[in-house]
Amino acid sequence: MHTPDGHTRTCGLIGHPVAHTLSPLIQNHMAQATGQNLVYLPFPVAAGDLGAAVRGALALDFLGLNVTVPYKSDVIAHLTEIDPLAERIGAVNTLVRCQGGYKGYNTDMPGLYRAMKQDGVEIAGREVVILGAGGVARAVAVMLLEKGAAGVHLLNRTRDKARAVAQEVNRMAGRPFARAYALEDYGQIPGEDWLVVQATSAGMHPHREDVPVEDPAFYRRVEIGYDLIFNPGVTRFMKLTESGGGRAYNGARMLVYQGVIAFELWTGTHISQGTADELCRMMAQAL
Ligand code: NAP
């Protein structure tokens, strides 16, 4: 690693909390692998201080920032420019220095798309089941629309939230693309061999035994279970998917690729497949 000097560029993560983040590991490894004179640090930002944090980063000439929970939507009000995809998704996780401020991007969804491709999961022309209707589930539905999925079936514990997301995505699509269900109504979803994206927070550390759907009959219809959770590395959802005969993936590759895309935006440097694979191995060890 470069010893920081007068030319060192600074990037960081703002959010609350940020203490357990793996992003410094990912970003500083890429800086080292590509010989960039760049450091990446986590910065906890208290409620109410988001605008001051972005202005402070600008004043200190930070090259860029990542943004995490709970500021991915609120940060939009503090941007100079926004990328059209991030605007449609309604969430920004990457800020890139531009004339007079920062331009906001969403690298979570391009990251998920790249991760799925790498895992051999094809989206185009496919009906996809999404578990959840929070910020990430909504973003996944928009990404699937952009990438040519045939449709999505949104299952959520609170059905009204799934309905609101489906309505919004259908408005964007200009056609009936998304349908909403309560979790227990999965029997209404047509077909077999589902691709299921698990976008709820159920099962995340420390609540490792939680899972949004328990019923083994659900999992017998799952061909691919793609959990966006990366801690733990193997969730109950993944175990149930495999017990039902399906293939299961976790969210570690998505985490790596959202970081890779952010780094590429900041530095204009391409991250090789070898470095990305190495990062995935590091994540598996770290978890
Ligand atoms: P969010 O807005 O808080 O939404 C949480 C969702 O989980 C809601 O749909 C909620 O249902 C559902 N839920 C929570 N506990 C549940 C339970 N016990 N049973 C059934 N459903 C439950 O969260 P988010 O921002 O969308 O994030 C969702 C997940 O995405 C995160 O937990 C994280 O694991 C993952 N993620 C991964 C990455 C990555 O890089 N891999 C990046 C970002 C996020 P209700 O509407 O009924 O409350």
Side-chain angles (χ1 to χ4, degrees), residues 31-81:
Q32 191 175 3
T34 57
Q36 295 280 320
N37 187 356
L38 184 153
V39 291
Y40 183 101
L41 296 165
F43 299 103
V45 172
D49 284 346
L50 179 61
V54 174
R55 283 193 302 280
L58 186 64
L60 294 169
D61 197 27
F62 282 17
L63 182 59
L65 288 171
N66 281 140
V67 183
T68 188
V69 176
Y71 301 127
K72 288 187 184 187
S73 299
D74 293 349
V75 78
I76 293 172
H78 304 283
L79 300 173
T80 307
E81 287 178 58

Side-chain angles (χ1 to χ4, degrees), residues 20-23 25-26 208 230-233 252 255-256 278-287:
H20 300 290
T21 177
L22 291 167
S23 289
L25 192 67
I26 295 172
R208 291 167 175 243
F230 52 82
N231 185 17
L255 177 73
V256 165
E278 203 177 318
L279 284 166
C280 289
R281 283 194 294 276
M282 282 168 62
M283 287 304 99
Q285 268 169 20
L287 296 164

Side-chain angles (χ1 to χ4, degrees), residues 68-69 72 108-109 112 131-138 155-159 161-162 183 198-204 210-213 227-231 250-258:
T68 188
V69 176
K72 288 187 184 187
D108 282 330
M109 288 308 118
L112 173 59
L131 294 174
V136 172
R138 183 189 174 285
L155 288 160
N156 197 43
R157 181 175 61 180
T158 314
R159 188 179 169 203
K161 269 168 74 179
L183 282 178
Q198 199 303 96
T200 77
S201 44
M204 220 161 85
D210 287 359
V211 67
V213 182
D227 202 330
L228 304 190
I229 290 175
F230 52 82
N231 185 17
N250 67 21
R253 208 181 273 280
M254 170 185 172
L255 177 73
V256 165
Y257 277 116
Q258 64 74 32

Side-chain angles (χ1 to χ4, degrees), residues 188-254:
Q188 296 172 13
I189 300 175
E192 304 286 328
D193 303 332
W194 292 336
L195 164 58
V196 180
V197 178
Q198 199 303 96
T200 77
S201 44
M204 220 161 85
H205 179 78
H207 305 289
R208 291 167 175 243
E209 286 311 305
D210 287 359
V211 67
V213 182
E214 290 273 359
D215 192 349
F218 174 89
Y219 293 95
R220 283 197 286 275
R221 296 174 71 181
V222 179
E223 182 197 353
I224 301 168
Y226 212 99
D227 202 330
L228 304 190
I229 290 175
F230 52 82
N231 185 17
V234 181
T235 61
R236 240 188 105 225
F237 169 80
M238 291 167 66
K239 288 180 194 158
L240 287 165
T241 294
E242 284 175 347
S243 305
R247 271 151 63 201
Y249 300 92
N250 67 21
R253 208 181 273 280
M254 170 185 172

